[in-house]
Amino acid sequence: MEERWLAPAEMRTWLSYVATSTLLESVLDRQLQRDSGMPHAYYQILAILSDVPDRTLRMNDLAALTQSSQSRLSHAVNKLETNGWIRRTQCPNDRRGTLATLTEQGYAVLVEAAPGHVRTVREYIFDRLTCEQVEQLGDILQVLKSGLQAERGVDIPLPGGAIPD
């Protein structure tokens, strides 16, 4: 079978996506490091835990939601636990499982970091788009996310926004 190479418009779109996602991750990481002393990956872990029942998840579920390896997640959670932001406990119904729970201190840190993070997301994404473009981008990303999740057999729910206004 002959390879289907990207057409010029597809290549421009692909390269724009790669550059944009790389630049955006860097901007978000720098802002969180500067304002809150944490990388974007730590913020993501705290935000996910803030939005689940009892602010607790099994480590393997947290790894799936963050798309992290167990070792990478374990390293991050070690740091978050040292900071007092997460507490790890043994899963009561599965001795092999470990639970990660967002502490009150971790939730307070997240609530403090959230406004700056949201301002940065708004500045670099939503303030640059029309309402119609926001809808289109949301639709496009949902189609891509659904296809990727189906391929990997992973369901990554969209957070409901547990951070208060």
Side-chain angles (χ1 to χ4, degrees), residues 19-158:
T20 300
S21 62
T22 301
L23 289 167
L24 182 60
E25 183 64 30
S26 178
V27 164
L28 294 173
D29 198 60
R30 276 196 318 275
Q31 178 273 318
L32 283 163
Q33 287 280 12
R34 181 188 66 238
D35 297 347
S36 302
M38 76 175 93
H40 188 235
Y42 291 8
Y43 181 89
Q44 182 183 15
I45 292 167
L46 298 178
I48 288 169
L49 289 173
S50 78
D51 206 38
V52 296
D54 300 321
R55 297 183 185 157
T56 300
L57 277 175
R58 290 175 61 100
M59 287 286 288
N60 60 343
D61 293 335
L62 187 55
L65 289 170
T66 60
Q67 293 294 287
S68 295
S69 67
Q70 288 286 349
S71 63
R72 187 173 199 182
L73 178 65
S74 184
H75 175 75
V77 170
N78 282 341
K79 178 69 172 165
L80 293 169
E81 192 172 33
T82 298
N83 290 348
W85 302 349
I86 287 180
R87 181 180 62 256
R88 273 192 282 205
T89 56
Q90 190 171 16
C91 185
N93 55 356
D94 178 2
R95 292 218 166 290
R96 296 172 299 159
T98 302
L99 301 175
T101 301
L102 180 65
T103 65
E104 286 302 319
Q105 182 184 358
Y107 186 74
V109 167
L110 178 65
V111 167
E112 189 175 316
H117 177 69
V118 170
R119 271 193 305 276
T120 303
V121 169
R122 179 166 295 293
E123 177 184 353
Y124 287 96
I125 299 175
F126 297 108
D127 289 350
R128 296 166 189 253
L129 301 174
T130 66
C131 292
E132 182 181 5
Q133 289 171 323
V134 169
E135 289 292 323
Q136 291 169 343
L137 180 61
D139 291 346
I140 290 165
L141 293 173
Q142 184 57 45
V143 168
L144 297 175
K145 178 177 160 278
S146 294
L148 290 164
Q149 286 180 167
E151 177 73 23
R152 302 229 19 226
V154 173
D155 182 24
I156 300 174
L158 295 175

